[in-house]
Amino acid sequence: MKLISAWEAYARKSPNASATEFCMHFLAQESNNQLFSGLTPPDLDTVFAKLIGRLAGMQTVYSKMALQEIPGFELEWFYFLSSIYHLKEVKKTQIIQYNFTEQTTGIDILNKLKTQGFITERPDLEDKRAKLVSLTKTGEQVLFRIYQLLHKPTLLMYHDIDPTDKQVVINILKNTEQKHQELLSGARNKSLDELLTAELGEEKLAALAQAQQQRISQFSDAKRPNKHQ
């Protein structure tokens, strides 16, 4: 009965789908329902986002464990040092935007790095209002040590995934990363709804919101205990 009901629901949405396509869809859903100890979101986009988010959270926890070897060193410092190293001499505002940090928080991090002697700054001759930052020798030495420490959580989490599968995931996600790096860089003073409207258009956004509301209602109904049981 479960299969029949699933097939009827799938066929209504995809009347030209084959049995093979339905089987792939059904098995994917069954597999997804085993994620997160059964606390699976009602739509595929959110399942995808939740999986990436939880993995990122786990990586953060492991990374902070690794950094315990350097008391007082904060994980956010690493992101700033690494991006400054790769971007060479760069404006403070660019580093803050690159790391998706609030202006005040970013300035605070940069000031701490300067106090520690990890970065140096000088006026930008082309823009008198701006400051350029770069790594000191001490900053480079610390950064390379941190690279070694933070390889441990990466190794722990991902060493057993086949390299081909890793490259497939990279190929899938790299355009999304690049797209939203640019989108966030130009998103100052814009709301999330404004970004969504510009990306999807009002009509499509409204249709997607309605579909999401229906999924949430169905999801909620499915979670309620059956009074007749």
Side-chain angles (χ1 to χ4, degrees):
M1 288 302 300
K2 182 178 179 180
L3 269 175
I4 292 171
S5 298
W7 165 253
E8 289 177 346
Y10 185 75
R12 283 196 296 270
K13 293 180 180 179
S14 307
N16 297 321
S18 67
T20 301
E21 290 170 331
F22 163 71
C23 289
M24 292 174 64
H25 167 79
F26 181 80
L27 290 173
Q29 277 199 327
E30 289 295 296
S31 176
N32 289 347
N33 288 337
Q34 297 173 17
L35 290 169
F36 319 126
S37 301
L39 302 176
T40 310
D43 66 283
L44 190 60
D45 282 349
T46 308
V47 171
F48 191 72
K50 184 172 181 176
L51 182 59
I52 292 175
R54 285 183 63 81
L55 287 173
M58 293 169 187
Q59 178 93 23
T60 296
V61 172
Y62 285 136
S63 297
K64 289 182 177 180
M65 291 169 63
L67 289 178
Q68 289 175 4
E69 293 190 28
I70 306 180
F73 194 95
E74 299 179 18
L75 181 59
E76 291 76 12
W77 295 5
F78 164 73
Y79 299 135
F80 273 66
L81 289 177
S82 180
S83 52
I84 292 171
Y85 175 76
H86 288 289
L87 295 172
K88 309 302 181 185
E89 195 174 44
V90 63
K91 290 182 179 180
K92 284 184 174 183
T93 52
Q94 289 178 282
I95 287 296
I96 292 170
Q97 289 176 357
Y98 184 84
N99 287 284
F100 316 122
T101 308
E102 294 289 339
Q103 184 75 10
T104 53
T105 303
I107 291 296
D108 183 57
I109 292 172
L110 290 170
N111 287 339
K112 289 178 179 178
L113 293 175
K114 182 182 176 183
T115 300
Q116 294 288 332
F118 298 153
I119 65 171
T120 184
E121 66 176 48
R122 71 174 181 85
D124 185 350
L125 299 179
E126 297 180 359
D127 183 355
K128 302 299 183 182
R129 299 169 298 175
K131 294 283 184 69
L132 299 173
V133 293
S134 58
L135 257 60
T136 62
K137 288 294 183 184
T138 301
E140 284 191 17
Q141 292 170 359
V142 169
L143 177 62
F144 295 153
R145 184 182 177 194
I146 301 299
Y147 278 144
Q148 292 176 321
L149 291 177
L150 293 186
H151 181 62
K152 295 178 182 180
T154 302
L155 193 63
L156 177 63
M157 289 189 66
Y158 302 118
H159 78 282
D160 58 348
I161 300 178
D162 186 273
T164 303
D165 291 337
K166 291 175 187 174
Q167 189 59 57
V168 168
V169 175
I170 290 170
N171 291 343
I172 291 171
L173 293 179
K174 64 182 181 181
N175 289 339
T176 300
E177 190 276 338
Q178 292 169 358
K179 173 182 176 179
H180 288 281
Q181 170 73 42
E182 295 177 3
L183 189 62
L184 283 169
S185 296
R188 294 183 65 182
N189 303 321
K190 290 184 179 179
S191 69
L192 187 58
D193 285 341
E194 288 173 330
L195 294 175
L196 274 168
T197 301
E199 177 69 17
L200 301 173
E202 292 185 4
E203 185 176 342
K204 184 175 181 179
L205 187 58
L208 289 172
Q210 183 177 6
Q212 176 69 349
Q213 186 60 49
Q214 292 174 347
R215 280 193 295 268
I216 291 173
S217 297
Q218 293 168 357
F219 180 77
S220 178
D221 292 342
K223 292 295 182 181
R224 291 195 185 99
N226 192 333
K227 295 180 180 179
H228 301 290
Q229 288 182 344

